[in-house]
Amino acid sequence: MKITLTSTSQQTPETVIISIAQGETYDLALEAVAKEITTSLATLQNDFKAEHGELLVVYNNTGQRLILLGLGKYPGFGEILKAYRSLTYKWRNKLGSTIGLSFLHQNLPAEENATKWIEAAVNGCWLSTYQIGRFKTKNGKEHPFKAPDATLTIFIAEDQPTATLRKAAAEGLAIAETQGRILDLVNAPANKKTPQVIGEWAARSGQTYGYKVQVLDKPAIEKLGLHALLAVNRGSEDPAVFIIMEYVPDDIPVDQLKTVGMVGKGVTFDTGGVSIKPSTNMHFMKSDMGGAAAVLGTMETAAKLQLPVHLIGIVPATDNSVGSTAIKPSDVIDSYSGKTIEIIDTDAEGRLILSDGIAYLKKHFSPDVIIDLATLTGSAVRTFGYHAAALFSNNDSLAQKLLEAGHQTGERAWQLPIWEIYQDHLKSDVADIKNYSGRPISGAIDAAKFLQFFVDGHPCWAHFDIAGVAFADQEFSGQKSATAFGIRLLTTFLKTANQVI
Ligand code: BES
Ligand code: ZN
Ligand code: ZN
């Protein structure tokens, strides 16, 4: 999709979307439209209240279609994105391939910056082209925005900073393209995304966008001694992989950059293992690599946007299967860190592979910051539903930056405590730590405490439990589907990570 910015209204796309928020610019925006279609302000005020997602279609006297899109009151990035995505998805069979988005003063509240609105709108327009039915033999028609000649014309006022806004539009598109590829990965069934497939995805992305990717196979993992990853992989016929990614921007020497290390849970399917899950909804456990997806997607966008940071991505990937060789409750396993772990429940497998990922990251890269993401606990889903990730951190300043990035991008997160008292839940009689307290309480916090044991004194660590938000009910699918949660939040955080840590 080609994007052009203009401050003249000479170009005439077939359709122009005019987003309008409630509040002080509501009347101004409607007045401008009323003038263009020669109707009265009162009529428009009656027909269109600018509630979030509300639509009114009108035609001007040159026959051009204007879609008024309501954004509600004080819309944030997430609301703006959602309104555009929803409209351009629902209208995919009615829209053509040339479309205009209007961001003139009359429909842009003065205190708002056009950057956010434009990035969110473009992001939403592109995400609406995503088709979930990849494995259908007959697929629906492609979205018109995917046509080779598709163009998006963005109308801005003359005094707005064109170069900045052009960059915002380009970033909105670049991130959305990667998010689309990540949606495919998370929505793919387990038999189409073995750990090897995830490794190949990473390797191809690294080649395409210019960052280093190493995919360790099972013999290499054995040689290194990633015992916790191997333990989870024991019941599976598909060997585990361990992915190590490294990005450095082209024009900044690495010694002038902060190193941010990310670790993502890459469980390609979670049966629970011997502590097997109930079958209802077990199919959703294909999404148990949502943390890995966030890390892969963020590596790709960081490289695309040439963010000023030294970025490491670690993805331990395996499924958690049942088999005669699988680990059993009561087993004591080794780990890369040298610490021993008593297995109480084989369904608490994510924390095991993450512990190896974190220990490896610390040993080989000495990062300034460690951020892990994982679809880790049902407890996080019960606490926040599908609307927010649980954030845990041992560093208040880091936590604040991440919460702020979440707020700015509409990817909500909320912090929970990691008080020392919870560590008692994980004391083992026979090993250094156990992987589950044995009691169905404080599940998300206990999981974070388990990880913190392997963070082992590193002063700047954060953990996102994204079990509720990585895979959720959405209007674009009949069942729950992938959201690509985390990419926008982390990309935003990384833009300034170099200065703020
Ligand atoms: N992958 C699950 C967590 C999960 C639950 C993700 C629901 C998405 C939606 C994780 O591996 C798991 O099974 N956690 C257990 C841990 C328990 C056995 C300590 C849980 O939360 O029930
Ligand atoms: Zn599990
Ligand atoms: Zn899991």
Side-chain angles (χ1 to χ4, degrees), residues 265 270 288 349 375:
K265 171 178 173 182
D270 185 8
D288 211 17
E349 83 299 341
T375 48

Side-chain angles (χ1 to χ4, degrees), residues 143-473:
H143 196 289
F145 294 174
K146 284 208 152 174
D149 63 342
T151 46
L152 190 65
T153 306
I154 296 178
F155 297 100
I156 55 169
E158 257 168 31
D159 58 352
Q160 279 172 345
T162 314
T164 310
L165 298 183
R166 183 171 293 124
K167 194 164 158 236
E171 284 190 9
L173 183 61
I175 295 176
E177 277 169 352
T178 294
Q179 286 171 320
R181 284 159 38 64
I182 288 295
L183 293 180
D184 264 341
L185 203 57
V186 180
N187 285 327
N191 65 332
K192 308 277 186 195
K193 62 162 176 226
T194 57
Q196 286 74 5
V197 171
I198 309 242
E200 283 156 23
W201 193 102
R204 209 162 328 123
S205 170
Q207 265 164 18
T208 311
Y209 297 105
Y211 62 95
K212 252 201 271 176
V213 178
Q214 231 187 317
V215 181
L216 305 186
D217 60 7
K218 194 170 166 188
I221 293 170
E222 280 165 343
K223 201 161 157 220
L224 261 176
L226 295 161
H227 300 294
L229 174 59
L230 289 166
V232 175
N233 186 239
R234 271 199 15 211
S236 176
E237 60 173 357
D238 293 313
V241 306
F242 190 75
I243 308 169
I244 304 151
M245 296 166 279
E246 179 172 15
Y247 153 79
V248 183
D250 293 338
D251 56 350
I252 311 176
V254 69
D255 57 8
Q256 289 177 23
L257 294 166
K258 290 281 186 334
T259 302
V260 176
M262 306 180 291
V263 185
K265 171 178 173 182
V267 171
T268 53
F269 193 84
D270 185 8
T271 67
V274 170
S275 317
I276 197 162
K277 287 182 182 294
S279 57
T280 311
N281 292 335
M282 199 206 268
H283 61 294
F284 291 141
M285 281 301 122
K286 67 179 183 181
S287 66
D288 211 17
M289 35 63 75
V295 169
L296 293 167
T298 305
M299 289 302 303
E300 185 169 294
T301 57
K304 269 188 187 175
L305 305 179
Q306 285 292 300
L307 300 183
V309 67
H310 177 209
L311 191 61
I312 310 296
I314 303 283
V315 170
T318 176
D319 61 0
N320 184 24
S321 284
V322 200
S324 60
T325 55
I327 51 166
K328 294 177 281 295
S330 85
D331 283 1
V332 173
I333 64 165
D334 290 324
S335 70
Y336 186 69
S337 67
K339 296 179 161 83
T340 56
I341 306 167
E342 180 187 8
I343 304 299
I344 301 296
D345 194 309
T346 64
D347 199 9
E349 83 299 341
R351 61 196 77 182
L352 301 177
I353 69 170
L354 287 171
S355 70
D356 270 1
I358 291 169
Y360 182 94
L361 172 68
K362 276 189 69 174
K363 179 161 179 207
H364 293 265
F365 294 98
S366 309
D368 298 293
V369 182
I370 301 175
I371 301 174
D372 76 76
L373 300 103
T375 48
L376 206 58
T377 66
S379 162
V381 188
R382 288 189 291 275
T383 307
F384 293 117
Y386 301 114
H387 305 304
L391 173 68
F392 302 85
S393 180
N394 60 0
N395 185 302
D396 286 344
S397 147
L398 174 65
Q400 279 317 311
K401 303 290 177 228
L402 291 169
L403 290 170
E404 175 55 28
H407 181 70
Q408 269 178 41
T409 56
E411 295 193 325
R412 289 187 197 86
W414 196 260
Q415 197 175 356
L416 293 178
I418 44 169
W419 292 309
E420 214 35 52
I421 188 80
Y422 288 97
Q423 199 72 48
D424 293 351
H425 293 184
L426 300 175
K427 279 197 177 131
S428 165
D429 290 336
V430 296
D432 295 334
I433 192 169
K434 58 186 180 188
N435 77 333
Y436 174 43
S437 68
R439 290 189 299 166
I441 55 168
S442 59
I445 300 177
D446 287 4
K449 291 308 283 181
F450 182 91
L451 297 178
Q452 195 180 10
F453 190 67
F454 295 87
V455 167
D456 204 9
H458 189 289
C460 200
W461 158 72
H463 156 59
F464 284 97
D465 192 333
I466 59 170
V469 286
F471 206 71
D473 289 326

